[in-house]
């Protein structure tokens, strides 16, 4: 039997603190933290994500500016929009919702965002800063996962951490953050041999593969802490369900603690976007 790591409650607590902080910034400095969100086209999943992000901004008193160009926008037009947002001192964070339509060069767009406004932490400079241990904006999902892990476990030094998945958005930065906390880190992926055994060596297991219930209960070392990053929509028993990358019910019998889906890492990701936006607004105005 495991402890359910309640990401929703932790995220709500973090957002409460941010509400107070944003009020303080407005009162003491006349500073209104502001994020620009760019959503290209009509992708339904992206629309839901963006709606949730904007809703959280409203709750926290963070200004948000939405740009919703049609999916036939050209690369040059999109780059011009990023340029304009970079140059707008009232905008502290810029988020371009991914994926972009195929004709657009995602890397070029992300890397055009001024690193100090890169609240997703995807920009090459922020990726580089993380890998050499310099301060920078951190990607929201790994940052939220680390907050929950440290809250539950305290010191992570010397623990064996296995990250299943090697994406630039989650797997790789998650591994970097775990390494920074002195874990012994393994990144596993689709070509890993004896994946079940590798997972069984983990005191901390992070599942970020994007496959529903991929990680089996008996892959989990008894007492391990399991972070499930997956958000997969499946049809089951005639119902539309949201499930993670871990077989939750089976894993619950083995793990010491596990994040549920929904209500685990998802809310943490959005809360950390708010956290990064406030941090970017403070940094831009040289406020500690
Ligand atoms: N698409 C899926 N996840 C993300 C994310 O964290 N940030 C952005 N910008 N797009 C995404």
């Amino acid at each position: 039997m495991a402890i359910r790591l309640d990401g929703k409650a932790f995220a709500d607590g973090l957002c409460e603190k941010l509400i107070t902080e944003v009020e303080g910034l407005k009162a003491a400095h006349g500073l209104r933290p502001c994020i620009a969100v760019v959503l290209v086209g009509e992708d339904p999943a992206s629309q839901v994500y963006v709606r949730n992000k904007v809703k959280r901004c409203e709750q926290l008193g963070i200004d948000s500016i939405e740009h919703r160009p049609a999916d036939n926008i050209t690369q040059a037009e999109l780059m011009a929009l990023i340029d304009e947002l970079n140059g707008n001192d009232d905008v502290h964070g810029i988020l371009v919702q991914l994926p972009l339509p195929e004709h657009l060069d995602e890397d070029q767009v992300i890397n055009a965002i001024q690193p100090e406004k890169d609240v997703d932490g995807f920009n090459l400079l922020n990726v580089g800063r993380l890998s050499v241990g310099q301060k920078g904006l951190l990607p929201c999902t790994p940052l939220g996962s680390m907050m929950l892990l440290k809250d539950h476990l305290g010191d992570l030094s010397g623990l064996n951490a296995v990250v299943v998945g090697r994406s630039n958005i989650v797997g790789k930065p998650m591994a970097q953050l775990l390494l920074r906390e002195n874990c012994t880190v393994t990144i596993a992926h689709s070509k890993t041999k004896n994946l079940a055994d590798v997972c069984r060596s983990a005191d901390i297991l992070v599942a970020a593969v994007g496959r529903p219930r991929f990680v089996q209960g008996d892959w989990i070392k008894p007492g391990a802490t399991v972070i499930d990053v997956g958000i997969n929509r499946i049809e089951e028993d005639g119902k539309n369900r949201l499930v993670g990358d871990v077989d939750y019910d089976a894993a619950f019998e083995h793990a010491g603690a596990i994040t549920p889906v929904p209500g685990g890492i998802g809310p943490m990701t959005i809360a950390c976007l708010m956290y990064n936006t406030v941090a970017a607004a403070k940094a831009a105005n040289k406020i500690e």
Side-chain angles (χ1 to χ4, degrees):
M1 290 285 277
I3 292 169
R4 179 180 180 275
L5 292 176
D6 190 340
K8 167 127 190 1
F10 193 100
D12 285 345
L14 175 57
C15 287
E16 284 300 322
K17 287 186 203 138
L18 289 171
I19 287 174
T20 308
E21 190 165 13
V22 169
E23 281 169 358
L25 290 172
K26 287 176 184 170
H29 302 277
L31 173 60
R32 301 183 63 84
C34 173
I35 182 171
V37 180
V38 180
L39 171 58
V40 179
E42 309 282 334
D43 179 66
S46 291
Q47 285 177 336
V48 173
Y49 287 135
V50 165
R51 198 179 318 131
N52 288 336
K53 289 170 186 176
V54 169
K55 229 165 54 189
R56 259 303 194 198
C57 286
E58 284 165 7
Q59 286 169 0
L60 269 61
I62 293 174
D63 289 342
S64 61
I65 304 171
E66 280 184 76
H67 289 268
R68 291 174 170 256
D71 62 6
N72 64 357
I73 189 173
T74 65
Q75 182 76 18
E77 286 166 338
L78 187 52
M79 294 296 279
L81 173 59
I82 301 295
D83 242 21
E84 179 197 318
L85 296 171
N86 280 339
N88 183 344
D89 290 342
D90 294 333
V91 171
H92 308 108
I94 302 171
L95 178 140
V96 178
Q97 187 65 30
L98 304 177
L100 291 173
E102 257 182 28
H103 70 281
L104 297 169
D105 181 342
E106 219 161 79
D107 287 342
Q108 194 188 28
V109 173
I110 295 303
N111 288 316
I113 297 171
Q114 195 183 302
E116 287 65 34
K117 297 190 180 190
D118 171 35
V119 284
D120 257 332
F122 294 166
N123 188 291
L124 282 179
L125 193 69
N126 284 319
V127 173
R129 283 169 172 158
L130 171 59
S131 78
V132 295
Q134 289 178 12
K135 278 186 96 171
L137 287 162
L138 297 171
C140 302
T141 300
L143 175 59
S145 302
M146 290 307 290
M147 284 182 185
L148 273 187
L149 274 174
K150 287 210 274 187
D151 181 64
H152 178 62
L153 291 171
D155 185 12
L156 308 186
S157 272
L159 296 178
N160 285 335
V162 173
V163 180
V164 189
R166 53 176 156 180
S167 72
N168 293 332
I169 292 182
V170 181
K172 285 182 204 161
M174 188 70 209
Q176 293 282 5
L177 287 172
L178 288 161
L179 188 59
R180 206 167 77 170
E181 296 298 327
N182 303 311
C183 291
T184 303
V185 183
T186 303
I187 303 180
H189 47 78
S190 55
K191 301 283 193 298
T192 297
K193 296 213 171 80
N194 304 323
L195 180 59
D197 284 338
V198 172
C199 290
R200 281 186 201 110
S201 73
D203 303 308
I204 296 170
L205 181 63
V206 180
V209 277
R211 292 216 240 156
R213 297 185 185 132
F214 178 72
V215 172
Q216 307 294 300
D218 67 355
W219 296 10
I220 291 161
K221 178 174 170 174
T225 304
V226 179
I227 299 288
D228 190 348
V229 171
I231 301 178
N232 308 289
R233 212 168 274 284
I234 62 162
E235 283 286 329
E236 193 172 60
D237 306 332
K239 291 198 185 100
N240 204 313
R241 279 190 215 280
L242 220 51
V243 301
D245 291 351
V246 178
D247 182 350
Y248 184 86
D249 291 341
F252 199 82
E253 302 301 318
H254 297 258
I258 180 167
T259 59
V261 178
I265 296 302
M268 289 302 296
T269 296
I270 297 189
C272 286
L273 179 67
M274 304 295 113
Y275 175 90
N276 277 350
T277 303
V278 172
K282 288 188 336 192
N285 290 275
K286 307 209 165 19
I287 297 167
E288 288 287 301

